[in-house]
Amino acid sequence: MTSSGLFVWEAQNLGKSARTRARLMDAAVQLFARDGFEAASVNEIARVADVANGTFYVHFRDKDEIAAAVAFGIAQGVARQLDDAMADETDALARIGMATRRFIDLASSAPDWGRALFRAVWFFTDLRGSTANYLRADLELGVRQGVITVEVDDFLILTFAAMTMNALFAQLQGEFTTDAGSRVAELQLRMLGAPPETAREVAWREIPRLQLHLTPLHRPAAAPAAE
Amino acid sequence: MTSSGLFVWEAQNLGKSARTRARLMDAAVQLFARDGFEAASVNEIARVADVANGTFYVHFRDKDEIAAAVAFGIAQGVARQLDDAMADETDALARIGMATRRFIDLASSAPDWGRALFRAVWFFTDLRGSTANYLRADLELGVRQGVITVEVDDFLILTFAAMTMNALFAQLQGEFTTDAGSRVAELQLRMLGAPPETAREVAWREIPRLQLHLTPLHRPAAAPAAE
Amino acid sequence: MTSSGLFVWEAQNLGKSARTRARLMDAAVQLFARDGFEAASVNEIARVADVANGTFYVHFRDKDEIAAAVAFGIAQGVARQLDDAMADETDALARIGMATRRFIDLASSAPDWGRALFRAVWFFTDLRGSTANYLRADLELGVRQGVITVEVDDFLILTFAAMTMNALFAQLQGEFTTDAGSRVAELQLRMLGAPPETAREVAWREIPRLQLHLTPLHRPAAAPAAE
Amino acid sequence: MTSSGLFVWEAQNLGKSARTRARLMDAAVQLFARDGFEAASVNEIARVADVANGTFYVHFRDKDEIAAAVAFGIAQGVARQLDDAMADETDALARIGMATRRFIDLASSAPDWGRALFRAVWFFTDLRGSTANYLRADLELGVRQGVITVEVDDFLILTFAAMTMNALFAQLQGEFTTDAGSRVAELQLRMLGAPPETAREVAWREIPRLQLHLTPLHRPAAAPAAE
DNA sequence: CATGAATGAGTTTTCATTCAT
DNA sequence: TATGAATGAAAACTCATTCAT
C-alpha cells in the first residue's frame, strides 16, 4: 500500500480505460514488489486493482506485458528525473556519483517501486542495457577528463550496475538505512580510478534528496493491449 | 549433462537411501540451472532422478528443502576446494584476487552447478552471508597488512560478493568467455585500495586453473540420471 | 475473402442499421466457414465486421440467432436461384439431377458460403427438412412419371440429402475437383431406380454452370469488411 | 447412463490405473454422446468418472487424446464384432448389406456409444478412411462377381459411408425405430447396381441381431498418457 | 524405503453478455 | 443505434503434496 497509485495519479485526467490500465499497473507494482514476478498471479493483480479478472486481459496480453509496461514506466520515470536533476553538472566523477546516489534515493523513497524496479531489472536483462547508456556516456566523459583509468566496456558497466543494484537492495532491506548510496558511490569511484579522498568527498557531498513524485512519468505509453 | 552426478559420486559408498537422495539432488541441480528454482517442478526432479515422485518426499520435506540442501552442498564444496588451493598464500591481496578468480573458474567449469549456485545465492540471501566469512577474514588481513583502505563491514562484503556473482553470470552467459574472473578481481582490488599496477598484476598473474572435482566429489560419475 | 459481402450487397440500399446487420452476417459467414460455429467468437465477428462488440447485440440476441439468420439467408438464396434455373424443366429425373449438380456448383463456387452452409446444415438439423420440400416435390413427380421405384418418405429424403452434402464436402475439400456433383447425381439416380444409362446421361449432360450471384445478391460488393 | 461402463467392464481385471483410465473413457463416451466433443468439458468428464479433475491429466494429455482413445476403442470393437459375424458369407452383396445393417444395429444397440461413434467419425476424418478398408474389399469383390456396376473409388466409399452414418443418425434419433439399417442397405445395393428385387431381398432378409457386448474391445490400448 | 496413482487448489486464459455513455 | 470497457463464469491445464500398497 505504501507508495501506490503513482500510475493512477498520472492517469487521473485521462479516459476511463487509461485509469483502469493504470490501476492494474499500480497493483502489479505492489505485487511484484511483494511477491516477485513469478509468484504474482494475474487474478490477484486484478483483485488488488479491484477489477474483474477478465478485465486484465482487456488491457494486457499476459503477465509479461504488464511487467514490461511497469518496468518501462518506472525506468523511464527514474531516468527522466535523474536527467533533470543533473543537467548542470559537468564534472564526470560528480555526475557518476550523483547518479548512483540519486538513483538509490529515488528508488528507495518509494519502496514498492524500488523493489519492483529491482525485480524487473533482474528479469528483463534488456532494461539494464538501455538504462546503461546514460552511464556509458558519463564514463566516457570521465575517460576524456582523465579521471577514469579503467577500460570502459560492457563488462565495466554491468559491474557498475550490479554494485548499484546491490546497494539498492541493501537499502530496501533496511540493513543500511540511509547511506547505501554514498557508500557504494565511493567504492565505485575508487574502482574507476578516483583518488580515495576525491571519491570520498564526491560520494558524501551534500546533495538535495529527490523523491519519486510522479510528474516524470508522463504517460504509461498508451500501448495497444489488444491486437 | 556435463557435470552432473557429483552428489551421486559422493554418495556412492553410502547406503541406498543416501544414493537416492543424492540422485534427487543432482537432478535438482540440473533443473534449477536450466529452469530456475520456481519453474523446476518436483515431478520433473523425480523423473530426471529416475525415481517415483512420491520418493521425493521421503527425502525432502518440500522444494525449499532440496534447494537448501543443494545450495549448501555446492557452497560447501566450492569453499572447501578454494580453501585447499590457497592454504599457502599469505598475501591478502593475492588471496582475495585468487579467491574471486578461482571461484569463477570453478563455478563456470561446471555450468549447471555454476548456474544453480547463482540461482541459489539469489534465492537464499543467507547463503551470501555465510560464504562471506572466508572473505571477511582475508579482508581483515588486508587491513592489518595496510593494503586495504576502506572500511570492512557487511556492506563492503555484500558489494564485493555482488561484483563476483555478476562476473560469474557474465561468464556463464558466454559474453566474456574467459576473463571475467581477472577483470572483476582487478576492479575489486582497485576498489579496496590496491594501486592500479598491483591490482592489475595480481588479477592477471598466471595461476593454475581449478576444475570442480572437489575433494570427495572427484568427477562426473557414470551416474544413471535418466533423460 | 473471395465471396464475402453478399449480405452487404443485398442491403446496400437499405438503412444504415440494415447494413450493419448485413456486415455482421457477412463476417459470420467468413468465420463460420473458417472456424466452425462453436469456435467463431462474437468478438471476432464484430471485429471482422468492423463494428464494436456491443453492436452485435443490437442486432442479434445471441450467437445462435446470427447463425440461424445466416443459414436461412444462404439456404433461401440458393433455393431461389435453383428454382429460377429449373423453371422450364419438366422431366423429374432431369430436375433431380440438375438440382443436385447445381446446388453443389453453387455452394462450391463461393467456398466460404458453401462451407458455412455445410456447417449450418450440420448444426441446424431443421434446415435439412425445410430445404427438402423442393426435393420432395420432384421425387413425387418422378413417382408419378413412373421413373422412381422406391418409396418416397422422410428417410429417403434425408439419405438423398446426406449424399449431396457429402459430395459438397468432398468438392470443398478439393479431393474431387470438378465432378462431385455429377458423380453423386448419377449414384442418386441409380438408387432411385433410373436405368444405369439414363442415370449416367442425365448426370453428365452438359448444363450451364451457375455462380452464386443470387437474384438480389448479385456479386461480391466492394464491401468494407475489414481484415 | 444407459449403456455405460463398457470400458470399465473390460478393465475390471486390470490394475487400478487401467480401471481409472477406463472410467474416464466411459464418462467421455457418455458426455461426447450427450453434448458433442466440443461441449464436453474435461472437468465434467472427471466429475462423471468420479475422480478429481487433475486425475484426468494423469491419463490423457488433453481432450483430443481421450477422444481418440474412445473412438479407436469403439471402432475397433465394432469392426471386430462385424468381422466375426461375417466370416462365412462369400456373396459380395450379402456381405455389404449385412455389414451396413449390423453396423447400425450394433451402434444403435448402445445409444451412447453409437452417438459417440457418430460424433467421432465426424470429427476424426481419418477414422472413416481406416474403417473403409473392410468396405472397399467387399466392393471390389462385388465388382469381380459382376454384381457391382459402378466404379469403386474413394468417392463411392465416402458416399456409401455417408449414407450409412446418416441412417445411424436417423435411427438414433428414434425417427425410424427399427428399420434404418435395412432401408439404407436396400438403397445402397440399388445404387451399386443390384436388381431391385435382389436389393430388397438381401436388405430385408432375416439375420440374427448383434448386441454391442464387450468382449471385442480387448484392451483400451495401454497407451502411455504421460510423456 | 520406494512407489505412483490420486488429489484439488490454484493458475492462465477465453468469451458471451451487459451497460453506462 | 452504436460504442467499447467491464464483467465473471467457465474452460484447460499444472503441480506440490498425500497415501495406500
Side-chain angles (χ1 to χ4, degrees):
Chain A
M1 306 294 147
T2 346
S3 53
S4 295
L6 294 188
F7 283 122
V8 162
W9 170 263
E10 200 181 351
Q12 65 186 329
N13 296 320
L14 301 174
K16 185 181 170 198
S17 178
R19 289 200 309 278
T20 303
R21 186 184 156 92
R23 284 235 298 287
L24 284 162
M25 288 176 72
D26 282 326
V29 164
Q30 231 179 96
L31 293 175
F32 290 163
R34 200 189 66 195
D35 304 333
F37 174 71
E38 314 232 29
S41 85
V42 168
N43 277 13
E44 182 138 12
I45 292 173
R47 224 203 61 228
V48 170
D50 206 29
V51 297
N53 52 12
T55 303
F56 179 92
Y57 292 92
V58 174
H59 295 278
F60 302 96
R61 198 193 315 290
D62 52 24
K63 228 176 17 170
D64 281 10
E65 196 172 286
I66 199 176
V70 161
F72 181 80
I74 300 177
Q76 198 189 30
V78 169
R80 194 165 325 187
Q81 206 161 341
L82 283 184
D83 254 16
D84 290 354
M86 304 206 309
D88 312 326
E89 184 60 67
T90 57
D91 178 56
L93 293 182
R95 287 185 67 85
I96 291 165
M98 279 169 62
T100 294
R101 291 168 64 188
R102 281 179 158 146
F103 171 77
I104 289 171
D105 278 357
L106 221 47
S108 58
S109 76
D112 277 2
W113 291 64
R115 263 183 272 270
L117 179 56
F118 188 74
R119 306 265 195 185
V121 166
W122 229 196
F123 214 83
F124 300 98
T125 343
D126 301 359
L127 210 62
R128 269 180 268 187
S130 73
T131 321
N133 289 332
Y134 296 93
L135 178 55
R136 180 186 298 274
D138 284 338
L139 289 171
E140 284 166 353
L141 177 64
V143 173
R144 288 196 300 278
Q145 292 181 351
V147 291
I148 288 183
T149 61
V150 288
E151 187 188 353
V152 173
D153 62 1
D154 287 345
F155 184 82
L156 178 69
I157 288 171
L158 284 180
T159 302
F160 195 98
M163 294 171 81
T164 305
M165 292 311 292
N166 176 67
L168 171 57
F169 182 75
Q171 179 131 325
L172 289 169
Q173 291 302 303
E175 298 175 17
F176 304 87
T177 23
T178 51
D179 289 341
S182 289
R183 293 222 47 194
V184 74
E186 181 177 354
L187 293 172
Q188 287 170 330
L189 294 171
R190 292 169 66 107
M191 172 180 88
L192 294 174
E197 318 76 50
T198 309
R200 167 167 301 260
E201 191 278 320
V202 170
W204 295 90
R205 175 193 300 169
E206 275 296 313
I207 52 168
R209 287 278 158 92
L210 299 181
Q211 287 256 328
L212 191 56
H213 45 229
L214 248 289
T215 4
L217 306 167
H218 281 301
R219 276 166 308 167
E227 153 58 323
Chain B
M1 311 297 117
T2 345
S3 54
S4 295
L6 295 187
F7 285 122
V8 162
W9 173 264
E10 192 174 7
Q12 66 185 329
N13 295 320
L14 302 174
K16 187 180 167 201
S17 173
R19 290 201 309 278
T20 301
R21 185 183 157 92
R23 284 236 296 286
L24 284 163
M25 288 175 72
D26 282 326
V29 165
Q30 235 178 90
L31 294 175
F32 290 163
R34 201 188 65 195
D35 304 332
F37 173 70
E38 314 233 26
S41 84
V42 170
N43 280 10
E44 184 147 9
I45 292 173
R47 223 199 65 222
V48 169
D50 208 25
V51 299
N53 56 6
T55 304
F56 180 92
Y57 291 91
V58 174
H59 295 279
F60 302 97
R61 192 193 324 286
D62 54 23
K63 221 167 41 160
D64 283 7
E65 196 172 285
I66 197 176
V70 161
F72 180 78
I74 300 177
Q76 196 187 32
V78 169
R80 196 178 319 174
Q81 202 163 341
L82 283 184
D83 255 16
D84 289 354
M86 303 205 311
D88 311 327
E89 184 60 65
T90 56
D91 178 57
L93 292 183
R95 287 186 66 87
I96 290 166
M98 279 169 61
T100 294
R101 291 169 65 188
R102 282 179 158 145
F103 170 78
I104 288 171
D105 278 356
L106 222 49
S108 60
S109 76
D112 276 4
W113 291 65
R115 264 184 270 269
L117 178 56
F118 188 76
R119 307 259 197 191
V121 167
W122 232 187
F123 211 82
F124 300 97
T125 348
D126 303 357
L127 209 61
R128 270 180 267 189
S130 74
T131 321
N133 289 332
Y134 297 92
L135 178 56
R136 179 185 300 273
D138 284 336
L139 289 170
E140 283 165 353
L141 177 62
V143 172
R144 287 196 299 281
Q145 293 181 351
V147 291
I148 288 182
T149 60
V150 288
E151 186 188 353
V152 172
D153 61 2
D154 286 345
F155 183 82
L156 178 68
I157 288 171
L158 283 180
T159 302
F160 195 99
M163 295 172 81
T164 306
M165 292 311 291
N166 176 67
L168 171 57
F169 182 75
Q171 180 132 323
L172 288 170
Q173 290 302 302
E175 298 174 19
F176 305 88
T177 24
T178 50
D179 290 342
S182 289
R183 294 219 48 191
V184 75
E186 182 178 352
L187 293 172
Q188 287 169 331
L189 294 171
R190 291 169 66 107
M191 172 180 87
L192 294 174
E197 319 77 49
T198 310
R200 168 167 300 259
E201 192 279 320
V202 170
W204 294 89
R205 173 193 302 169
E206 277 295 311
I207 54 166
R209 287 277 157 90
L210 298 182
Q211 287 255 329
L212 191 56
H213 44 108
L214 316 178
T215 321
L217 308 166
H218 280 298
R219 44 188 171 152
E227 156 56 320
Chain C
M1 312 295 121
T2 343
S3 54
S4 296
L6 294 188
F7 284 122
V8 162
W9 174 265
E10 194 174 4
Q12 66 186 328
N13 296 320
L14 302 175
K16 187 179 167 202
S17 173
R19 291 202 308 279
T20 303
R21 185 184 156 92
R23 284 237 297 284
L24 284 163
M25 289 175 72
D26 282 326
V29 164
Q30 233 178 94
L31 294 175
F32 289 164
R34 202 188 63 196
D35 304 333
F37 173 71
E38 314 234 26
S41 84
V42 170
N43 278 11
E44 184 147 9
I45 292 172
R47 224 199 64 222
V48 169
D50 208 24
V51 299
N53 56 6
T55 304
F56 180 92
Y57 291 90
V58 173
H59 295 279
F60 301 97
R61 193 192 324 286
D62 54 25
K63 221 170 37 161
D64 283 7
E65 196 171 286
I66 197 176
V70 161
F72 181 79
I74 300 178
Q76 197 188 33
V78 169
R80 197 178 318 173
Q81 202 163 342
L82 283 184
D83 256 15
D84 290 354
M86 302 206 311
D88 311 326
E89 184 58 66
T90 57
D91 178 56
L93 293 183
R95 287 185 67 85
I96 290 166
M98 280 168 61
T100 294
R101 291 167 65 187
R102 281 179 159 146
F103 171 77
I104 288 171
D105 278 358
L106 223 49
S108 60
S109 77
D112 277 4
W113 291 66
R115 265 184 268 270
L117 178 55
F118 189 75
R119 307 257 197 193
V121 167
W122 229 190
F123 211 82
F124 299 98
T125 348
D126 304 357
L127 209 61
R128 270 179 269 189
S130 74
T131 321
N133 289 331
Y134 296 93
L135 177 56
R136 179 185 299 273
D138 285 336
L139 289 170
E140 283 165 353
L141 177 64
V143 171
R144 288 197 299 279
Q145 292 180 353
V147 291
I148 288 183
T149 60
V150 288
E151 188 187 352
V152 172
D153 62 0
D154 286 346
F155 184 82
L156 179 68
I157 288 171
L158 283 181
T159 302
F160 195 100
M163 294 171 81
T164 305
M165 292 311 291
N166 177 67
L168 171 57
F169 182 75
Q171 179 132 324
L172 288 170
Q173 290 302 301
E175 297 175 19
F176 305 88
T177 24
T178 52
D179 289 341
S182 289
R183 294 221 47 191
V184 74
E186 183 178 352
L187 293 171
Q188 287 169 331
L189 294 172
R190 291 170 66 108
M191 174 181 85
L192 295 174
E197 319 78 49
T198 309
R200 170 169 297 260
E201 193 279 321
V202 170
W204 295 89
R205 174 192 301 169
E206 277 295 314
I207 53 167
R209 288 278 158 90
L210 299 181
Q211 288 255 328
L212 191 57
H213 44 107
L214 317 178
T215 318
L217 308 166
H218 279 299
R219 40 183 176 155
E227 163 57 318
Chain D
M1 307 293 145
T2 344
S3 54
S4 295
L6 294 188
F7 283 121
V8 161
W9 170 264
E10 199 182 352
Q12 66 186 327
N13 296 320
L14 302 173
K16 185 180 170 199
S17 178
R19 288 200 311 276
T20 302
R21 188 184 153 92
R23 283 233 301 286
L24 284 162
M25 288 175 72
D26 282 325
V29 164
Q30 231 178 97
L31 293 175
F32 290 163
R34 201 189 65 197
D35 304 334
F37 173 71
E38 313 233 30
S41 85
V42 168
N43 277 14
E44 182 141 13
I45 292 173
R47 224 203 61 227
V48 169
D50 206 29
V51 298
N53 53 12
T55 304
F56 179 92
Y57 293 93
V58 174
H59 296 278
F60 302 96
R61 197 192 317 289
D62 53 24
K63 230 181 8 173
D64 281 11
E65 197 173 285
I66 198 176
V70 161
F72 180 80
I74 300 178
Q76 198 190 30
V78 169
R80 197 168 320 189
Q81 206 161 338
L82 283 184
D83 254 16
D84 290 354
M86 302 207 310
D88 311 326
E89 184 58 67
T90 58
D91 178 56
L93 293 183
R95 286 184 67 86
I96 290 166
M98 279 168 61
T100 293
R101 290 168 65 189
R102 280 178 159 147
F103 171 77
I104 289 171
D105 279 357
L106 221 49
S108 58
S109 77
D112 276 3
W113 291 65
R115 263 183 272 270
L117 179 55
F118 188 76
R119 307 261 195 188
V121 166
W122 233 189
F123 214 82
F124 299 99
T125 343
D126 300 359
L127 211 60
R128 268 180 271 187
S130 73
T131 320
N133 288 331
Y134 296 93
L135 177 55
R136 180 187 297 273
D138 285 337
L139 289 170
E140 283 165 353
L141 178 64
V143 171
R144 287 197 300 279
Q145 292 181 353
V147 292
I148 288 183
T149 61
V150 287
E151 188 187 352
V152 172
D153 62 1
D154 286 345
F155 185 82
L156 179 69
I157 288 171
L158 283 180
T159 302
F160 195 99
M163 294 170 80
T164 305
M165 293 310 293
N166 177 67
L168 171 57
F169 183 74
Q171 179 132 324
L172 288 170
Q173 291 302 303
E175 298 176 17
F176 304 86
T177 24
T178 51
D179 288 342
S182 289
R183 295 221 48 191
V184 75
E186 181 178 352
L187 293 172
Q188 286 169 330
L189 294 172
R190 292 169 65 106
M191 172 181 86
L192 294 174
E197 318 76 49
T198 310
R200 169 168 299 261
E201 192 278 321
V202 170
W204 295 89
R205 174 192 301 170
E206 276 295 312
I207 52 168
R209 289 278 158 90
L210 299 180
Q211 287 257 328
L212 191 56
H213 45 229
L214 246 291
T215 5
L217 306 166
H218 279 303
R219 277 166 308 167
E227 150 62 320

